[in-house]
Amino acid sequence: MSLDAKIPQGPLAEKWSKHKFNLKLVNPANKRKYDIIVVGTGLAGASAAASLAELGYNVKSFCFQDSPRRAHSIAAQGGINAAKNYQNDGDSVYRLFYDTIKGGDYRSREGNVYRLAEVSVNIIDQCVAQGVPFAREYGGLLDNRSFGGAQVSRTFYARGQTGQQLLLGAYSALNRQIHLGKVKVYTRTEMLDVVMIDGHAKGIVTRNMKTGEIETHAGHAVLLATGGYGNVFYLSTNAIGSNVTAAWRAHKRGAYFANPCYTQIHPTCIPVTGDHQSKLTLMSESLRNDGRVWAPKTVEVAEKLRKKEITAAEVKEEDRDYFLERKYPAFGNLVPRDVASRNAKEMVDDGRGVGGSGFAVFLDFAEAIQRLGEDTVRAKYGNLFDMYYQITDENPYKQPMRIYPAVHYTMGGLWVDYNLSTNVPGLYAMGECNFSDHGANRLGASALMQGLADGYFVIPYTLGDYLATIGPKPVDKNHPAFEQTRQDVVAYVNKLLALNGTKTVNEYHRDLGHIMWEYCGMARTEEGLTKALGLIKELKADFWKNAIVTGENEEFNLALERAGRVADFIELGELMVTDALMRRESCGGHFRLESQTEEGEALRDDENFAFVAAWEYKGENQPEELHKEELVYENVKLTQRSYK
């Protein structure tokens, strides 16, 4: 089956403006007759809820946190891309489009990516108007810095807490609509299923996480903005609560899941220290503007460092390998994340890793401090340096940071067309929840850009086209589908609560993470992926036999919450491995050892794999069916990526 992405015809630069004109409109008086459900209150969810309410729609907003502003978007550090060309260094909408296509290793849609670059310039104006305190130059203009995969400075930032400041801007807009009564927020509420009527999404089933009450909510459309699924690896930079449940339950109701194996490994994370950890901490990619990545040139020097016989400062310049600068002179330390991550792994595999475990390389600021002064470095990165010191008890002003790649972002997600609609009418996905814009590797500072683009500037237009088609007739809240779906959720919750084995849910989650990282992480092989499939199937069977879930539904029950999420992660993990096994090529963050160039770079197979892999759920313990959306490139030439 071929999927219709509904990309508009015509020149690339005119697609979005022409498409907006051709979309059906809902007149202002009728907007008051529509109820919209938005699940998730991060950048995509908060901006969409606020924008739709501002237009006049009635919005119900759901989040499992105690406040909308606790969404994981606050954790984003380094910045947000926009093609403003404030630095006058050659940036443009087309250059941002091209960098994003190339960064994604030519596995994303031209139409979607160009629109993203096009509306990026509006995002900055919107956020400045909301009071987002972007960094400014001495003369008062907004400042920019560089990020990986680009040779221009296009990243707007608020020190090392850009995500938090952007979310506070969206949250203020959301609060305005809450005050006006156009948005009703349901906190500590988790979505557990989608209500389908005649093939259309017409509502959701939720669980009140404080009381256990399982409720139904009706709406003319359901918008999912629930983030990514990186926690399938157990250890990731995501908040512990981040999960795949909303997207996965929608998948089991018919929404296709696209490119699930596309995982982003971030190169600058604080290394793992042991099994006691439940998450990892990211050090912003912005640090690679001034920090230099290096490893010892020899195993002998690395061993001395690991044994603490010498310090990093005592390693002579001639004994240091600034490997990114050496291998990629045009981009240096600012190569894309997948390239930097893979090279760090090569250093460790070569026996040249540092730190007690040997699973780390250095990110060194000595040269920057000497060149700029400590005060300047502190002004740019101070909160990041403080965070590193608090976690490691090491002062990065005096010694290099130790970093190593970790799971950070997922490029896969629910399949959506140009309108952000899944293949299920009335069900939309925005931000990291969908697959649409980043191909096989997301450029740094583009997650915030996509989330706000989807919420502020895309969904307010495209949703109206669907609503105008179905009309403002109220959704029948008494339709049998609502009660049937609620009963399905109750039965599933009771099935989880009946588990009375000996192994905790967290143990299963950790076991799954080990399998995923070992066989479906930075490097993958046919043999390893085949083995992983068998291991996950065994883990799933064991989970339903030997897991233990304590407590009751009618209470605050963390064990129950985690059980449902881990069960979904196990099923997702199986699909991720299936997808990775099918894709017999290397591209972006998906590196098959059988498919690499003589220089060890990712080698694509454009003849056989230039498509989006969209998977259809076919039932419990049944293999999923693959649907392909062929990727057509009319404006860029498919070439071997090079950052040299």
Side-chain angles (χ1 to χ4, degrees), residues 103 147-149 264-269 283 285 288 291-295 322-325 327-328 331-348 360-363 403-406 441-444 522 588-589 591 600-602 641 643:
F147 257 64
Q264 176 158 88
I265 313 293
H266 198 296
T268 51
C269 298
M283 290 286 100
E285 181 175 305
R288 288 197 275 143
R292 301 179 71 191
V293 181
W294 65 275
Y322 296 93
F323 53 91
L324 295 179
E325 298 173 34
K327 295 178 68 173
Y328 309 98
F331 283 76
N333 292 299
L334 287 172
V335 292
R337 291 173 177 177
D338 62 317
V339 177
S341 296
R342 195 157 56 247
N343 278 272
K345 182 178 185 297
E346 286 177 10
M347 294 299 108
V348 169
V361 295
F362 287 128
L363 181 62
I403 59 167
Y404 195 65
N441 174 61
R442 176 177 69 79
L443 289 185
M522 276 196 282
F591 194 72
E601 303 292 344
R641 269 200 317 171
Y643 291 94

Side-chain angles (χ1 to χ4, degrees), residues 629-641:
E629 177 202 331
E630 301 296 332
L631 292 168
V632 178
Y633 293 94
E634 300 172 337
N635 299 275
V636 298
K637 182 180 179 181
L638 295 178
T639 60
Q640 173 66 33
R641 269 200 317 171

Side-chain angles (χ1 to χ4, degrees), residues 330-591:
F331 283 76
N333 292 299
L334 287 172
V335 292
R337 291 173 177 177
D338 62 317
V339 177
S341 296
R342 195 157 56 247
N343 278 272
K345 182 178 185 297
E346 286 177 10
M347 294 299 108
V348 169
D349 291 347
D350 197 31
R352 294 192 278 150
V354 299
S357 66
F359 284 88
V361 295
F362 287 128
L363 181 62
D364 197 335
F365 289 86
E367 188 272 339
I369 291 172
Q370 183 179 16
R371 172 170 47 88
L372 302 171
E374 185 173 316
D375 289 344
T376 300
V377 172
R378 191 182 301 275
K380 295 171 75 172
Y381 309 116
N383 63 313
L384 298 171
F385 278 45
D386 291 345
M387 188 191 310
Y388 183 86
Y389 176 71
Q390 289 166 12
I391 292 172
T392 66
D393 197 30
E394 297 172 5
N395 185 347
Y397 294 103
K398 304 299 181 184
Q399 62 191 100
M401 290 183 177
R402 291 175 297 104
I403 59 167
Y404 195 65
V407 172
H408 177 58
Y409 188 90
T410 48
M411 284 76 66
L414 293 179
W415 182 90
V416 293
D417 62 19
Y418 191 72
N419 295 324
L420 304 185
S421 171
T422 69
N423 59 296
V424 174
L427 181 66
Y428 292 76
M430 305 175 294
E432 192 179 356
C433 184
N434 74 35
F435 87 100
S436 63
D437 293 351
H438 306 299
N441 174 61
R442 176 177 69 79
L443 289 185
S446 288
L448 307 186
M449 176 174 64
Q450 186 211 348
L452 292 180
D454 287 355
Y456 282 139
F457 299 111
V458 179
I459 200 68
Y461 289 97
T462 60
L463 179 62
D465 186 68
Y466 170 74
L467 297 176
T469 302
I470 65 171
K473 181 181 177 182
V475 178
D476 182 8
K477 298 176 184 177
N478 296 316
H479 192 283
F482 281 93
E483 180 57 23
Q484 180 58 57
T485 310
R486 195 188 77 84
Q487 290 296 336
D488 291 345
V489 170
V490 170
Y492 188 73
V493 168
N494 289 335
K495 181 181 178 182
L496 290 170
L497 288 168
L499 292 173
N500 192 29
T502 58
K503 191 172 176 181
T504 67
V505 169
N506 276 2
E507 290 178 88
Y508 282 102
H509 196 179
R510 187 181 290 112
D511 291 346
L512 174 66
H514 283 309
I515 296 169
M516 296 301 295
W517 180 251
E518 180 68 23
Y519 302 110
C520 199
M522 276 196 282
R524 308 162 184 184
T525 65
E526 185 106 9
E527 180 184 4
L529 291 166
T530 302
K531 180 179 180 180
L533 266 184
L535 291 173
I536 294 173
K537 290 178 186 295
E538 291 174 8
L539 188 71
K540 180 179 178 181
D542 194 66
F543 175 90
W544 289 108
K545 181 180 179 181
N546 293 319
I548 181 170
V549 180
T550 57
E552 300 176 351
N553 177 57
E554 290 73 24
E555 62 179 356
F556 180 70
N557 190 336
L558 277 173
L560 175 60
E561 293 167 24
R562 290 173 177 168
R565 295 169 187 173
V566 172
D568 292 336
F569 275 138
I570 292 172
E571 293 181 356
L572 168 68
E574 186 175 349
L575 181 60
M576 289 174 68
V577 173
T578 300
D579 187 48
L581 195 55
M582 173 278 299
R583 193 169 282 278
R584 291 179 173 85
E585 65 162 355
S586 292
C587 56
H590 170 199
F591 194 72

Side-chain angles (χ1 to χ4, degrees), residues 149-185:
Q151 291 180 303
V152 298
S153 295
R154 65 162 66 101
T155 304
F156 295 77
Y157 65 98
R159 211 174 182 189
Q161 50 184 256
T162 313
Q164 180 178 2
Q165 298 303 328
L166 291 172
L167 185 60
L168 289 173
Y171 179 58
S172 66
L174 182 63
N175 268 344
R176 178 175 182 271
Q177 297 304 322
I178 295 170
H179 176 71
L180 293 172
K182 295 301 294 181
V183 175
K184 184 174 182 181
V185 175

